[in-house]
Amino acid sequence: RPAAGERAMQAAARFREAIAILEHARDRAASSGCDLDLAERAATAVRDTVLRECIAAGLYANPSLLGDGSPIRVSSGVDAALMDEEDPPTALVASAPATPPFSPCAAEFAREGGELVDPVLSGVKALLIDLDGTMYSPSGPIPGADEFYGYLLRQRLPYVFLSNTGAKGAHGVQAKLAKNGFLLQAAPVPTDNIYTAAQAQCAYMADHIPHHARVFVIAGGVEGEDAWWMELLTAAAERVATWELRTRLTEEEAKEWAAIAGAAIAAAPGEGRPKVFVVLFTDGSISSSVDPKTNERGYADWSFDVIKKASILLSHGAEFVCTAEDAFNPTSDGFPLPGPGMFSAMFRKLMYPLGSERHRVCGKGGGAAEGGKYMVGHAIEMLRLQGFDGEPHEILIVGDRFDTDIRAGVGAGLRTCLVESGCHSKDLQTFYPTDHADFVASSVADLLPPEWRAGALDRPLARPWVHRNASMDDFSASPPSLAT
């Protein structure tokens, strides 16, 4: 097929590069005492990836183009037995899909030891994926995010977009994605694939705030909008109806509530359930949600007054419940905005030491009984409803923060991957010694098989390095060059 000659030559060149990568991999594996069987599996996967690429493009492959004229054996996933130089086929026909499942797509080495590594997505059966800083930034989609999302859909992999936002639920995130044109918006991202810290916090509140409790809510969201978070509490409507929910308090009311909180604690030290709660629904800024009792607008911004009212309650036995502890939010101009973690830390300091056990974080990074159960645990159940039937270590959580995304994964026994497209980079790992990322990638684009990257045929086969983060001793060494 002369018309396809140029593309056939490109495919052959990619195959030759794949062989060079494999030879390099075997040499490194042999010299470092690594698992040679793993190298062989990686070799088969690379071979199949390139062949599928040829098949998808309708190209024939002439072994004489490959340099040594030897037959090419492929795995059972590709329906082409042997390509014989003496009787080359005119085309390859595959019974399998043109795109492979998550599997080793190239042999890769960690920078710090030369260890042969199964690439990140090998063996992954489901994913939990952060949004801000991972799939998009204030400037728009992260490069490669659309391709990554398309890959999830094409492969029908169970996934949940797991956002630490405290200012919206799944429907709000869905609307934001659609409004900004993120993620292949030919159809909205289903809400069954989205879960937020605000939703997790509402579930925690429904289980742990008793009947007839007093709840002071400090919330963000759209300025002047009615209390959107009330919609998230509809599942516990009967219990919620008994609460006294307020978004604005006078100083006298705050002191009255503080007395009630202190009395409940004194009545049963260490055992009594708090009857007063300060609840934070925000990504940093707050807006004037209508007070359900007085119909007045709540606090429109952080001020000494709102901090003072919350402090009166928390210093006398009230429980603090927040969505997340992200310290700051990135912006397009590079100057960060205050995040909920800054205010959470302020109140945590106020409550130390006697009230430390009354500080709850329900999103990613929260304790096992809060964020671990109500955020990550619920997200895993969402994966199971999509057909995931594996073990926690077969789930990959991907995010841009050690203290939220990676911490959540470590606590739940998941595989973890830090992407450097948002807040944190691998160089900060030493500051989070217990929040250890299994892998570090530049972005979600690096997690894709090569042919799913934008302009795959125009780029080298080897994708950018995805590092196994096996050691925190050395983050300065460079990965080996495949060119040598």
Side-chain angles (χ1 to χ4, degrees):
R1 294 170 48 180
E6 183 177 351
R7 295 186 68 191
M9 290 294 292
Q10 287 180 338
R14 289 170 60 73
F15 196 93
R16 285 195 298 272
E17 183 181 2
I19 296 301
I21 293 172
L22 298 176
E23 291 175 349
H24 178 82
R26 289 193 180 100
D27 291 345
R28 290 294 298 269
S31 63
S32 61
C34 291
D35 187 350
L36 293 177
D37 180 61
L38 177 60
E40 187 60 39
R41 288 192 289 113
T44 300
V46 173
R47 215 163 30 230
D48 289 358
T49 295
V50 178
L51 289 173
R52 283 190 176 95
E53 223 172 74
C54 296
I55 293 165
L59 303 176
Y60 69 87
N62 187 332
S64 65
L65 298 175
L66 303 180
D68 60 2
S70 60
I72 305 166
R73 298 184 180 275
V74 300
S75 73
S76 58
V78 178
D79 187 15
L82 291 175
M83 291 183 289
D84 192 325
E85 184 179 8
E86 297 178 357
D87 185 21
T90 57
L92 298 178
V93 180
S95 58
T99 53
F102 278 144
S103 62
C105 297
E108 300 187 13
F109 297 90
R111 62 172 68 190
E112 59 269 11
E115 176 192 357
L116 186 64
V117 175
D118 250 333
V120 174
L121 294 180
S122 173
V124 170
K125 294 182 178 179
L127 294 99
L128 301 179
I129 308 156
D130 178 50
L131 283 172
D132 197 354
T134 300
M135 297 297 288
Y136 58 74
S137 71
S139 302
I142 300 290
D146 280 350
E147 290 84 355
F148 184 69
Y149 180 57
Y151 191 80
L152 299 179
L153 298 182
R154 177 71 178 271
Q155 298 302 323
R156 295 182 178 146
L157 279 161
Y159 72 94
V160 173
F161 287 125
L162 199 60
S163 171
N164 245 14
T165 180
K168 61 182 76 71
H171 288 285
V173 170
Q174 182 190 57
K176 177 178 180 177
L177 293 173
K179 178 180 178 182
N180 291 282
F182 297 146
L183 307 182
L184 306 175
Q185 286 296 315
V189 177
T191 54
D192 288 343
N193 297 88
I194 303 171
Y195 196 62
T196 74
Q199 292 172 278
Q201 179 161 301
C202 284
Y204 175 86
M205 291 169 63
D207 283 352
H208 292 274
I209 296 183
H211 288 76
H212 308 292
R214 290 167 169 80
V215 184
F216 179 42
V217 179
I218 304 171
V222 178
E223 183 68 30
E225 195 176 74
D226 289 341
W228 57 269
W229 37 269
M230 287 293 291
E231 297 179 12
L232 302 180
L233 291 167
T234 53
E238 182 180 350
R239 174 176 292 207
V240 172
T242 70
W243 298 347
E244 184 176 349
L245 281 161
R246 302 293 301 277
T247 61
R248 177 177 287 274
L249 292 173
T250 66
E251 187 166 334
E252 291 71 23
E253 287 172 324
K255 290 177 177 179
E256 177 187 343
W257 283 28
I260 294 170
I265 298 298
E271 298 178 9
R273 297 187 69 180
K275 293 186 178 180
V276 178
F277 294 77
V278 175
V279 175
L280 189 61
F281 280 107
T282 181
D283 289 335
S285 62
I286 61 176
S287 59
S288 53
S289 298
V290 175
D291 189 286
K293 181 176 180 178
T294 66
N295 289 322
E296 293 181 275
R297 291 291 178 185
Y299 297 97
D301 201 355
W302 289 103
S303 65
F304 185 80
D305 189 43
V306 66
I307 294 171
K308 179 174 71 172
K309 304 294 176 50
S311 298
I312 289 172
L313 302 178
L314 295 171
S315 63
H316 284 75
E319 182 166 303
F320 181 74
V321 184
C322 70
T323 46
E325 290 197 294
D326 300 61
F328 64 91
N329 297 311
T331 62
S332 57
D333 63 6
F335 294 95
L337 295 175
M342 293 177 62
F343 303 101
S344 173
M346 174 177 62
F347 292 127
R348 188 189 292 273
K349 186 74 172 178
L350 168 72
M351 299 169 73
Y352 182 83
L354 301 179
S356 298
E357 75 284 356
R358 299 193 308 274
H359 190 286
R360 316 289 183 184
V361 180
C362 299
K364 290 177 292 184
E370 298 89 32
K373 176 180 179 179
Y374 289 91
M375 187 71 169
V376 181
H378 182 85
I380 292 173
E381 289 305 310
M382 292 174 69
L383 294 175
R384 296 200 183 281
L385 290 175
Q386 297 175 42
F388 171 69
D389 59 358
E391 298 298 321
H393 68 268
E394 295 173 302
I395 301 171
L396 179 71
I397 186 168
V398 184
D400 67 315
R401 295 189 64 100
F402 284 110
D403 53 351
T404 57
D405 307 300
I406 304 305
R407 183 173 298 172
V410 170
L414 313 182
R415 196 179 303 192
T416 58
C417 180
L418 179 82
V419 288
E420 298 181 299
S421 51
C423 291
H424 287 169
S425 68
K426 61 184 177 296
D427 301 316
L428 299 179
Q429 175 68 89
T430 53
F431 295 96
Y432 302 95
T434 61
D435 306 320
H436 186 257
D438 296 320
F439 301 96
V440 177
S442 295
S443 72
V444 292
D446 291 354
L447 307 185
L448 287 170
E451 70 275 17
W452 275 82
R453 295 174 58 82
L457 283 175
D458 300 324
R459 297 187 181 189
L461 175 65
R463 68 181 186 225
W465 287 86
V466 177
H467 303 283
R468 182 185 291 280
N469 196 20
S471 170
M472 294 188 296
D473 295 335
D474 181 11
F475 291 98
S476 60
S478 299
S481 171
L482 297 183
T484 59

